[in-house]
Amino acid sequence: MSAYWLLALIPFLAGVAVTGQQGMVAVTERVVRRTARRVEGTVTGHLASREATYAALHPVVRWTGDDGVEHERAVPDTIGAHALPEGSRVRLLCVPGAPDSVTLDAPDRYRSAVVGAWAGVLLCAGTLTAVLIRIATLLPEGYGY
C-alpha cells in the first residue's frame, strides 16, 4: 500500500465532520421548534456585524414575552435588510424563560441542516465505495468466483 491511501481519509473525515455538525444543527432546530413558544414580533431596525469575512445585517425585533415584559433583541439570523424592512411583523420562536434564545420562525435552517447531513453521509459513502472498488481491482485473479 502506498501513502496515497491516506488521501482517502480526507474526504471521509470531512464527510464525518459535516454529518456530525449538520446533524447537531438539525437536532437543535428540532428541539427548539418543539419546545419554544411562537410569538409575533416587530422589526425595529437592523444591527450590522462582521461575520467571518463579510458584513451581515441582523434584524432587531421587539416582542412581548410570557410575563408581559417587552423585549427587544437582535436576532442572530442573517436575513437581507430588504427581506425584513423596519415595521414588518415576524414570527419568532422563544424558549420560555430565556428571551436571549429568540430566533426567527423559519423552517429553512432545519431543511438545510438535513440536506447538509445527507451530503456528509454521501461523501463518506462515496469515499468508502471508491476505496472498496480500488481494493477489489487490486486483488489477485485467484480470489473470486
Side-chain angles (χ1 to χ4, degrees), residues 23 28-29 32 47 84 86 95 104 121 133 142:
T28 302
E29 279 295 315
V32 167
L47 177 70
L84 292 175
E86 288 186 32
V95 176
L104 290 176
V121 168
I133 289 172

PDB file of all heavy atoms in Angstrom, residues 23 28-29 32 47 84 86 95 104 121 133 142:
ATOM      1  N   GLY A  23     -25.859  17.439  11.639  1.00  0.00           N
ATOM      2  CA  GLY A  23     -26.791  16.639  12.440  1.00  0.00           C
ATOM      3  C   GLY A  23     -27.111  17.318  13.761  1.00  0.00           C
ATOM      4  O   GLY A  23     -28.266  17.329  14.206  1.00  0.00           O
ATOM      5  N   THR A  28     -30.852  20.294  17.162  1.00  0.00           N
ATOM      6  CA  THR A  28     -31.105  21.505  17.940  1.00  0.00           C
ATOM      7  C   THR A  28     -32.321  22.250  17.402  1.00  0.00           C
ATOM      8  O   THR A  28     -33.185  22.692  18.173  1.00  0.00           O
ATOM      9  CB  THR A  28     -29.871  22.429  17.923  1.00  0.00           C
ATOM     10  OG1 THR A  28     -28.761  21.708  18.439  1.00  0.00           O
ATOM     11  CG2 THR A  28     -30.108  23.675  18.741  1.00  0.00           C
ATOM     12  N   GLU A  29     -32.396  22.388  16.092  1.00  0.00           N
ATOM     13  CA  GLU A  29     -33.560  23.053  15.486  1.00  0.00           C
ATOM     14  C   GLU A  29     -34.845  22.300  15.811  1.00  0.00           C
ATOM     15  O   GLU A  29     -35.872  22.906  16.090  1.00  0.00           O
ATOM     16  CB  GLU A  29     -33.390  23.161  13.973  1.00  0.00           C
ATOM     17  CG  GLU A  29     -32.527  24.301  13.539  1.00  0.00           C
ATOM     18  CD  GLU A  29     -33.134  25.641  13.874  1.00  0.00           C
ATOM     19  OE1 GLU A  29     -34.335  25.847  13.641  1.00  0.00           O
ATOM     20  OE2 GLU A  29     -32.390  26.494  14.377  1.00  0.00           O
ATOM     21  N   VAL A  32     -35.754  22.955  19.490  1.00  0.00           N
ATOM     22  CA  VAL A  32     -36.238  24.325  19.673  1.00  0.00           C
ATOM     23  C   VAL A  32     -37.640  24.473  19.095  1.00  0.00           C
ATOM     24  O   VAL A  32     -38.511  25.082  19.706  1.00  0.00           O
ATOM     25  CB  VAL A  32     -35.258  25.341  19.041  1.00  0.00           C
ATOM     26  CG1 VAL A  32     -35.884  26.717  18.928  1.00  0.00           C
ATOM     27  CG2 VAL A  32     -33.985  25.416  19.858  1.00  0.00           C
ATOM     28  N   LEU A  47     -28.982  45.515  12.911  1.00  0.00           N
ATOM     29  CA  LEU A  47     -27.684  45.659  13.562  1.00  0.00           C
ATOM     30  C   LEU A  47     -26.635  45.065  12.636  1.00  0.00           C
ATOM     31  O   LEU A  47     -26.736  43.891  12.254  1.00  0.00           O
ATOM     32  CB  LEU A  47     -27.688  44.939  14.913  1.00  0.00           C
ATOM     33  CG  LEU A  47     -26.392  44.940  15.700  1.00  0.00           C
ATOM     34  CD1 LEU A  47     -26.113  46.355  16.208  1.00  0.00           C
ATOM     35  CD2 LEU A  47     -26.487  43.980  16.862  1.00  0.00           C
ATOM     36  N   LEU A  84     -36.632  41.934   5.391  1.00  0.00           N
ATOM     37  CA  LEU A  84     -37.341  42.306   6.625  1.00  0.00           C
ATOM     38  C   LEU A  84     -37.185  43.807   6.875  1.00  0.00           C
ATOM     39  O   LEU A  84     -36.363  44.231   7.678  1.00  0.00           O
ATOM     40  CB  LEU A  84     -36.794  41.528   7.819  1.00  0.00           C
ATOM     41  CG  LEU A  84     -37.047  40.033   7.838  1.00  0.00           C
ATOM     42  CD1 LEU A  84     -36.343  39.389   9.015  1.00  0.00           C
ATOM     43  CD2 LEU A  84     -38.518  39.742   7.892  1.00  0.00           C
ATOM     44  N   GLU A  86     -38.006  47.595   8.301  1.00  0.00           N
ATOM     45  CA  GLU A  86     -38.476  48.055   9.611  1.00  0.00           C
ATOM     46  C   GLU A  86     -39.989  48.155   9.618  1.00  0.00           C
ATOM     47  O   GLU A  86     -40.610  48.573   8.649  1.00  0.00           O
ATOM     48  CB  GLU A  86     -37.863  49.415   9.936  1.00  0.00           C
ATOM     49  CG  GLU A  86     -36.409  49.342  10.267  1.00  0.00           C
ATOM     50  CD  GLU A  86     -35.862  50.678  10.731  1.00  0.00           C
ATOM     51  OE1 GLU A  86     -36.612  51.462  11.351  1.00  0.00           O
ATOM     52  OE2 GLU A  86     -34.690  50.935  10.464  1.00  0.00           O
ATOM     53  N   VAL A  95     -37.911  30.418  23.568  1.00  0.00           N
ATOM     54  CA  VAL A  95     -37.911  29.402  24.619  1.00  0.00           C
ATOM     55  C   VAL A  95     -38.366  30.084  25.905  1.00  0.00           C
ATOM     56  O   VAL A  95     -37.825  31.131  26.283  1.00  0.00           O
ATOM     57  CB  VAL A  95     -36.508  28.782  24.788  1.00  0.00           C
ATOM     58  CG1 VAL A  95     -36.491  27.793  25.938  1.00  0.00           C
ATOM     59  CG2 VAL A  95     -36.067  28.110  23.503  1.00  0.00           C
ATOM     60  N   LEU A 104     -35.855  33.561  14.519  1.00  0.00           N
ATOM     61  CA  LEU A 104     -36.960  33.684  13.573  1.00  0.00           C
ATOM     62  C   LEU A 104     -37.559  32.308  13.315  1.00  0.00           C
ATOM     63  O   LEU A 104     -36.846  31.306  13.283  1.00  0.00           O
ATOM     64  CB  LEU A 104     -36.477  34.284  12.255  1.00  0.00           C
ATOM     65  CG  LEU A 104     -36.071  35.751  12.289  1.00  0.00           C
ATOM     66  CD1 LEU A 104     -35.525  36.164  10.942  1.00  0.00           C
ATOM     67  CD2 LEU A 104     -37.240  36.623  12.672  1.00  0.00           C
ATOM     68  N   VAL A 121     -23.112  12.306   4.624  1.00  0.00           N
ATOM     69  CA  VAL A 121     -23.258  10.845   4.528  1.00  0.00           C
ATOM     70  C   VAL A 121     -22.874  10.370   3.136  1.00  0.00           C
ATOM     71  O   VAL A 121     -22.174   9.356   2.981  1.00  0.00           O
ATOM     72  CB  VAL A 121     -24.707  10.427   4.883  1.00  0.00           C
ATOM     73  CG1 VAL A 121     -24.967   8.986   4.516  1.00  0.00           C
ATOM     74  CG2 VAL A 121     -24.975  10.661   6.360  1.00  0.00           C
ATOM     75  N   ILE A 133     -13.864  -0.339  -4.301  1.00  0.00           N
ATOM     76  CA  ILE A 133     -13.674  -0.664  -5.714  1.00  0.00           C
ATOM     77  C   ILE A 133     -12.190  -0.757  -6.033  1.00  0.00           C
ATOM     78  O   ILE A 133     -11.748  -1.670  -6.746  1.00  0.00           O
ATOM     79  CB  ILE A 133     -14.386   0.376  -6.612  1.00  0.00           C
ATOM     80  CG1 ILE A 133     -15.898   0.191  -6.506  1.00  0.00           C
ATOM     81  CG2 ILE A 133     -13.923   0.260  -8.062  1.00  0.00           C
ATOM     82  CD1 ILE A 133     -16.694   1.286  -7.189  1.00  0.00           C
ATOM     83  N   GLY A 142      -6.812 -15.007  -8.474  1.00  0.00           N
ATOM     84  CA  GLY A 142      -7.237 -16.238  -7.808  1.00  0.00           C
ATOM     85  C   GLY A 142      -8.395 -16.054  -6.830  1.00  0.00           C
ATOM     86  O   GLY A 142      -9.079 -17.000  -6.490  1.00  0.00           O
TER      87      GLY A 142
END
